[in-house]
Amino acid sequence: MEDNTIISFANVGARYDNNPDILTDVSFNISAGSFYFLSGASGAGKTTLLRLIYQLHRPCRGTIKLFGQPTNHMTRDEISAIRHKMAIVFQSYSLLSHLTVFDNIALPLRVRGVDEAKIKKLVTKTLDWVGLGKYANAKPLTLSGGQQQRVSVARAIVVQPAIMLADEPTGNLDDENASRLMDLFIQMNKMFGTTIIIATHNSKLMETYKFPVMHVENHKLNFIDTKPAHKKVNTESNDDYFAELAKQFKDIGSK
């Protein structure tokens, strides 16, 4: 992959049916391992941008490249293969109420045909990571909103994606749970090298963590701050734990 670019947009426009453009002439490059907030007013196009990256929506013009590959003319199978390298977290959790927490998290691994013995190890490790180990057999609707959101994040984490997209993941959470969720994203970025884009309207969140911001306004995308986060987040106490978790994920995945 040239220049370590993992997501590239060149003059991309997007609309729904014959309505006016939601996004117009959007161009940017995102390097592997980056962490960005995606801001903008409701209806500005944040969700549309995430849908374009995840290939849930096709551009009306321009070129999108993921992992160095142009996606405009990909077949359904090719899109499915590239989505296997990504994960998306929705504000609405999107959990299946008839499945247990364990089975919700295991679902994307089963879709990929992963061996059940490996699934058990990966899901168990991930549940421990998000602090929900004792809820493996619970149904989602018996959990709090914050816990359900962590299950949703766990389901994304378990596939060890190269790209993680999150659409207002803290929108329904209090400050404590929002902070806990951010810590999970930060450790995922730090230990797995996952490229993360979080759409949010929460100015307090952006002020606290100081990651660079992609801002959507008037159908355009601008980078407000492209400097690395200068506020050091206090996750050092968990570094050894997450480093060991990352190693265990790698060991499990290689077996």
Side-chain angles (χ1 to χ4, degrees):
M1 185 168 27
E2 188 176 354
D3 299 327
N4 203 34
T5 299
I6 198 167
I7 304 170
S8 178
F9 277 45
N11 302 312
V12 170
R15 66 168 70 103
Y16 293 94
D17 299 323
N18 293 318
N19 293 313
D21 283 3
I22 298 292
L23 297 171
T24 301
D25 295 327
V26 172
S27 298
F28 64 87
N29 292 313
I30 298 290
S31 297
S34 300
F35 196 127
Y36 285 92
F37 284 122
L38 174 60
S39 70
S42 296
K46 300 189 301 296
T47 298
T48 297
L49 186 66
L50 296 182
R51 287 172 59 85
L52 286 166
I53 296 171
Y54 198 69
Q55 297 296 293
L56 292 173
H57 189 69
R58 294 294 186 103
C60 59
R61 62 183 171 278
T63 301
I64 297 173
K65 290 183 179 180
L66 297 172
F67 308 96
Q69 303 175 51
T71 63
N72 296 53
H73 303 294
M74 280 186 172
T75 65
R76 183 176 298 181
D77 287 344
E78 288 171 333
I79 289 172
S80 178
I82 213 162
R83 280 188 191 145
H84 281 182
K85 301 178 183 179
M86 301 187 286
I88 190 164
V89 176
F90 297 103
Q91 183 177 356
S92 59
Y93 315 141
S94 300
L95 301 175
L96 299 177
S97 59
H98 65 286
L99 296 180
T100 65
V101 165
F102 184 99
D103 287 332
N104 265 280
I105 297 170
L107 185 60
L109 294 174
R110 288 174 174 149
V111 168
R112 287 163 169 79
V114 177
D115 177 80
E116 281 294 324
K118 189 183 295 184
I119 286 174
K120 184 175 181 180
K121 292 178 182 178
L122 287 169
V123 173
T124 300
K125 291 294 179 187
T126 305
L127 277 168
D128 288 343
W129 189 359
V130 300
L132 294 174
K134 65 181 181 181
Y135 295 101
N137 295 318
K139 294 293 180 65
L141 294 181
T142 66
L143 305 181
S144 69
Q147 289 170 330
Q148 289 183 57
Q149 187 60 292
R150 276 186 277 153
V151 175
S152 180
V153 171
R155 185 176 57 188
I157 290 170
V158 79
V159 298
Q160 303 167 61
I163 297 172
M164 166 77 87
L165 310 171
D167 193 2
E168 301 281 3
T170 65
N172 296 325
L173 305 181
D174 57 28
D175 288 348
E176 181 180 352
N177 277 305
S179 178
R180 181 168 190 170
L181 198 60
M182 279 299 301
D183 285 347
L184 289 173
F185 284 130
I186 291 167
Q187 290 292 352
M188 190 175 180
N189 170 258
K190 184 174 181 180
M191 296 300 173
F192 294 106
T194 305
T195 302
I196 295 179
I197 301 176
I198 297 178
T200 183
H201 63 272
N202 189 330
S203 58
K204 181 178 179 181
L205 203 68
M206 291 184 281
E207 289 168 3
T208 299
Y209 291 94
K210 301 293 184 183
F211 288 108
V213 177
M214 306 161 66
H215 184 72
V216 183
E217 187 174 11
N218 296 326
H219 316 293
K220 302 286 187 180
L221 181 73
N222 296 299
F223 286 75
I224 295 177
D225 176 13
T226 57
K227 296 178 181 179
H230 61 263
K231 177 180 177 62
K232 190 158 183 69
V233 181
N234 184 25
T235 56
E236 289 86 347
S237 60
N238 290 324
D239 277 0
D240 290 343
Y241 172 73
F242 284 110
E244 178 60 23
L245 179 69
K247 179 180 181 298
Q248 290 177 10
F249 259 57
K250 183 177 180 180
D251 290 344
I252 293 168
S254 65
K255 293 176 182 177

